[in-house]
Amino acid sequence: MTVTEGTPPSPVTPPPAPPVGPVAAGPSSPASDGTPATAGGGIDRLTAFDGLFLRAEHLNRIQDYARELALAVGEAGGPGVAEGYEVSVKDATLRVGGGLAVAPDGRPLRSQRLITLPLGGLTPGPHAFWYVEAVPASWAYGDAPVQGSYCDDPCSGAGTTRSPYGAEGVRIRLTEATEPGLDNRPAEHRRNWLASRLFATERTERSAWPYGPGAVDLPQSWTPPTVTGKAKGVRLAVLSRAPGTTAAWEVDTWTARRERGAPPPYRYWQARTGMRPWDVFMAQILQFQCQLAELTAARAAPRTDLQPLLEQLARLGRQTFLQSHTKEQLGRELGLLVEGIDAGRLWGPGAVDVPEPETLERLGITELPPAGYLPLAPEGDGGSDSPSPTSPSSPSSPTFLSAAALGRIESFLGPQVEVRYCWCGTADVAQAVQEAQHRDRIPLDRPAAVDVLVPADEQGRPLTNWVAFVRRQQRFCYSPGEVTGAAAGTHSTE
């Protein structure tokens, strides 16, 4: 595995000074108080008393005590990104903004500046990509004279200096990983395919039950999680070569990044019992929304109609017009022309080219999160997509959407998705999205049942230029003795 690291900011750690009375580390932390009922936790403090000759080892022990306390509290709160750390690529240089995160071992990872990392010499192996990670970094700085050691010659340290301060920050590291089959994907499908595979791996990372191999039987062990080694860094994004080129790069933030959302035991038992932690659920939604936004933003901008302006310029430029007007008259004409441009009277929106109905699969997205959002009128104009305000409709009928809007949604999702439309309040959309947290992702290449939620008013008129989608729950209920077999039961759609 290839690891490429960024360069720590200046000043770099100076070479160590010649030893001048080494600082004693002090006694090691006892494992217990001598009885079998106690155990040390590695959080040791200084118990000062009058007459104690303070040395560096004592002051370091005070700092170590505060540090270990902070690390224990940070570890108990859980890892993840708290804010910032936006990742992008510009001119073959990785750019990572400042931010704050907490590593799995509890250490805060705070950066207060933009970090850049050249990507020129980075070459991927077969089926390879990189995780962009923030890891701890520290370096010494400052300069202070050593005045001599206790019980030694007071002048023995003359002319010797050391760095009395230590800075703690972050280093941006690229860690190479592989996903077999990545290079075999079509160029436009690589990003979504990789995200889907990594999300699937994450779901069975803690336990194969109830989704992985051997999930038929109930687990026999339900013991608390054991104390294990903690990772030192936090993932911020996935970096890969952009398909079809050797020069461009692609950053997918939410395939790797996880927000700080819950303490470790909460996330652990959610994963062990087949639930999807909140930060993972949000990452899957945001990964889809970011990719969809980038794909739809790549469309051509609407044209501007400059015909009125061109007509005025042609009129002013005719030879007959110039010969029949004085300089003062021409000045007034030019002033009126400028006023017309500023007021928008001489230009306007041109005709919009309406593209052919696009499918998510054709855009490169073959699998969706359990819930998400789709544009209802991506052209930015209600126009023909707006239903008649004089024809209210009921929640049981899709007539509150125009035929154009219905066609757009169904085209987006593709022919394999069974769509049911739901009229609802805007707040109910959030509730429905939350209820989908633990459901399976939505494949677009095989049958799946999806509800499309349309925020609408009491008359059934859409309130937004977007709709939400959620995977429909798959629950078949029956009472023994009344019917036989789940297929004869009632499909719950609550």
Coordinates of all heavy atoms in Angstrom, one line a residue, residues 121-157:
G121 N 3.1 13.3 -9.0 CA 3.8 12.0 -9.1 C 2.9 10.9 -8.6 O 3.5 9.8 -8.4
L122 N 1.6 11.1 -8.5 CA 0.8 10.0 -7.9 C 0.2 9.2 -9.1 O -0.5 9.7 -10.0 CB -0.4 10.7 -7.2 CG -1.1 9.8 -6.1 CD1 -0.1 9.4 -5.0 CD2 -2.2 10.6 -5.4
T123 N 0.5 7.9 -9.1 CA 0.1 7.0 -10.1 C -0.7 5.8 -9.5 O -0.1 5.1 -8.6 CB 1.3 6.4 -10.9 OG1 2.0 7.5 -11.4 CG2 0.8 5.5 -12.0
P124 N -1.9 5.6 -9.9 CA -2.7 4.6 -9.3 C -2.3 3.2 -9.8 O -1.9 3.0 -11.0 CB -4.1 4.9 -9.7 CG -4.0 5.7 -11.0 CD -2.7 6.4 -10.9
G125 N -2.4 2.2 -9.0 CA -2.3 0.8 -9.4 C -3.6 0.3 -10.0 O -4.6 1.0 -10.1
P126 N -3.7 -1.0 -10.3 CA -4.9 -1.6 -10.8 C -6.1 -1.5 -9.8 O -5.9 -1.8 -8.6 CB -4.5 -3.0 -11.1 CG -3.0 -3.0 -11.2 CD -2.6 -2.0 -10.3
H127 N -7.2 -1.0 -10.3 CA -8.4 -0.9 -9.4 C -8.2 -0.1 -8.2 O -8.8 -0.3 -7.2 CB -8.9 -2.3 -9.0 CG -9.0 -3.3 -10.2 ND1 -9.9 -3.2 -11.2 CD2 -8.2 -4.4 -10.5 CE1 -9.7 -4.2 -12.0 NE2 -8.7 -4.9 -11.6
A128 N -7.3 0.9 -8.3 CA -6.9 1.7 -7.1 C -7.6 3.0 -7.0 O -8.0 3.6 -8.0 CB -5.4 1.8 -7.0
F129 N -7.7 3.5 -5.7 CA -8.1 4.8 -5.4 C -7.4 5.2 -4.1 O -6.6 4.4 -3.6 CB -9.6 4.9 -5.3 CG -10.2 4.1 -4.2 CD1 -10.4 4.6 -2.9 CD2 -10.4 2.7 -4.4 CE1 -10.9 3.8 -1.9 CE2 -10.9 1.9 -3.3 CZ -11.2 2.5 -2.1
W130 N -7.6 6.4 -3.6 CA -7.0 6.9 -2.4 C -8.0 7.4 -1.4 O -9.0 8.1 -1.8 CB -5.9 8.0 -2.7 CG -4.7 7.5 -3.4 CD1 -3.5 7.0 -2.9 CD2 -4.5 7.5 -4.8 NE1 -2.7 6.7 -3.9 CE2 -3.3 7.0 -5.1 CE3 -5.4 7.8 -5.9 CZ2 -2.8 6.8 -6.4 CZ3 -4.9 7.6 -7.2 CH2 -3.6 7.1 -7.4
Y131 N -7.7 7.2 -0.1 CA -8.5 7.8 0.9 C -7.7 9.1 1.3 O -6.4 9.0 1.6 CB -8.6 7.0 2.2 CG -9.6 5.9 2.0 CD1 -9.3 4.5 2.0 CD2 -11.0 6.2 2.0 CE1 -10.2 3.5 1.9 CE2 -12.0 5.2 1.8 CZ -11.6 3.9 1.8 OH -12.5 2.9 1.7
V132 N -8.3 10.2 1.4 CA -7.7 11.5 1.9 C -8.0 11.5 3.4 O -9.1 11.5 3.8 CB -8.3 12.7 1.2 CG1 -7.7 14.0 1.8 CG2 -8.2 12.6 -0.3
E133 N -6.9 11.5 4.2 CA -7.1 11.3 5.6 C -6.3 12.5 6.3 O -5.3 13.0 5.9 CB -6.5 10.0 6.1 CG -7.1 8.8 5.5 CD -6.4 7.5 5.9 OE1 -5.2 7.5 6.0 OE2 -7.1 6.5 6.0
A134 N -6.9 12.9 7.5 CA -6.2 13.8 8.4 C -5.7 13.0 9.5 O -6.5 12.3 10.2 CB -7.2 14.9 8.9
V135 N -4.4 13.1 9.8 CA -3.7 12.4 10.9 C -3.0 13.4 11.7 O -2.7 14.5 11.3 CB -2.8 11.3 10.3 CG1 -3.5 10.2 9.5 CG2 -1.7 11.9 9.4
P136 N -2.7 13.0 13.0 CA -2.0 13.9 13.9 C -0.6 14.2 13.4 O 0.1 13.4 12.8 CB -2.0 13.2 15.2 CG -3.1 12.1 15.1 CD -3.1 11.7 13.7
A137 N -0.2 15.4 13.7 CA 1.2 15.8 13.4 C 1.6 16.8 14.5 O 0.8 17.5 15.1 CB 1.3 16.5 12.1
S138 N 2.9 16.7 14.9 CA 3.4 17.6 15.9 C 4.9 18.0 15.6 O 5.6 17.2 14.9 CB 3.4 17.0 17.3 OG 4.1 15.8 17.3
W139 N 5.3 19.2 16.0 CA 6.6 19.6 15.7 C 7.0 20.6 16.8 O 6.2 21.3 17.4 CB 6.8 20.2 14.3 CG 5.8 21.3 14.0 CD1 6.0 22.7 14.2 CD2 4.4 21.2 13.5 NE1 4.9 23.4 13.8 CE2 3.9 22.5 13.4 CE3 3.7 20.1 13.2 CZ2 2.6 22.7 13.0 CZ3 2.4 20.3 12.8 CH2 1.9 21.6 12.7
A140 N 8.3 20.7 17.1 CA 8.8 21.6 18.1 C 9.2 22.9 17.5 O 9.5 23.0 16.3 CB 10.1 21.0 18.7
Y141 N 9.1 24.0 18.2 CA 9.5 25.3 17.8 C 9.9 26.2 18.9 O 9.8 25.8 20.1 CB 8.4 26.0 17.0 CG 7.2 26.4 17.8 CD1 7.1 27.7 18.3 CD2 6.2 25.5 18.2 CE1 6.0 28.1 19.1 CE2 5.1 25.9 19.0 CZ 5.0 27.2 19.4 OH 3.9 27.6 20.2
G142 N 10.5 27.3 18.6 CA 11.0 28.2 19.6 C 12.5 27.9 19.9 O 13.0 26.9 19.5
D143 N 13.0 28.8 20.8 CA 14.5 28.6 21.1 C 14.7 29.2 22.5 O 14.3 30.4 22.7 CB 15.3 29.3 20.1 CG 16.8 29.0 20.2 OD1 17.2 27.8 20.1 OD2 17.6 29.9 20.5
A144 N 15.2 28.4 23.4 CA 15.5 28.9 24.7 C 16.8 28.3 25.3 O 17.1 27.1 24.9 CB 14.4 28.6 25.7
P145 N 17.6 29.0 26.0 CA 18.9 28.5 26.5 C 18.7 27.5 27.6 O 17.7 27.6 28.4 CB 19.6 29.7 27.0 CG 18.5 30.7 27.4 CD 17.4 30.4 26.4
V146 N 19.5 26.5 27.7 CA 19.5 25.5 28.8 C 20.5 26.0 29.9 O 21.6 26.3 29.6 CB 20.0 24.1 28.3 CG1 20.0 23.1 29.4 CG2 19.1 23.6 27.2
Q147 N 19.9 26.2 31.1 CA 20.7 26.9 32.1 C 21.5 26.0 33.0 O 22.1 26.4 33.9 CB 19.7 27.7 33.0 CG 18.9 28.7 32.3 CD 19.8 29.8 31.7 OE1 20.9 30.0 32.1 NE2 19.2 30.5 30.7
G148 N 21.4 24.7 32.7 CA 22.2 23.7 33.5 C 21.2 22.8 34.2 O 20.0 23.0 34.4
S149 N 21.7 21.7 34.7 CA 20.9 20.6 35.3 C 21.2 20.6 36.8 O 22.2 21.0 37.3 CB 21.3 19.2 34.8 OG 21.0 19.2 33.4
Y150 N 20.2 20.2 37.5 CA 20.2 20.1 39.0 C 21.3 19.2 39.4 O 21.5 18.1 38.8 CB 18.9 19.6 39.5 CG 18.8 19.5 41.0 CD1 19.1 20.6 41.9 CD2 18.5 18.3 41.6 CE1 19.0 20.4 43.2 CE2 18.4 18.1 42.9 CZ 18.6 19.2 43.8 OH 18.5 19.1 45.1
C151 N 22.1 19.5 40.4 CA 23.3 18.8 40.9 C 24.5 18.7 39.9 O 25.4 18.0 40.2 CB 22.9 17.3 41.2 SG 21.7 17.3 42.6
D152 N 24.4 19.4 38.8 CA 25.5 19.5 37.9 C 26.1 20.9 38.0 O 25.6 21.8 38.7 CB 25.0 19.2 36.4 CG 24.7 17.7 36.3 OD1 25.1 16.9 37.1 OD2 23.9 17.4 35.3
D153 N 27.1 21.1 37.2 CA 27.8 22.4 37.1 C 26.8 23.4 36.6 O 26.2 23.2 35.5 CB 29.0 22.3 36.2 CG 29.7 23.6 36.1 OD1 29.3 24.6 36.7 OD2 30.7 23.7 35.4
P154 N 26.4 24.4 37.3 CA 25.4 25.4 36.8 C 25.8 26.0 35.5 O 24.9 26.5 34.8 CB 25.4 26.5 38.0 CG 26.0 25.8 39.1 CD 27.0 24.8 38.6
C155 N 27.0 26.0 35.1 CA 27.4 26.6 33.8 C 27.6 25.6 32.7 O 28.0 25.9 31.6 CB 28.7 27.4 34.0 SG 28.5 28.8 35.2
S156 N 27.2 24.3 33.0 CA 27.5 23.3 32.0 C 26.7 23.4 30.8 O 27.0 22.9 29.7 CB 27.3 21.9 32.6 OG 25.9 21.8 33.0
G157 N 25.5 24.2 30.8 CA 24.7 24.3 29.7 C 24.9 25.6 28.9 O 24.1 25.9 28.1

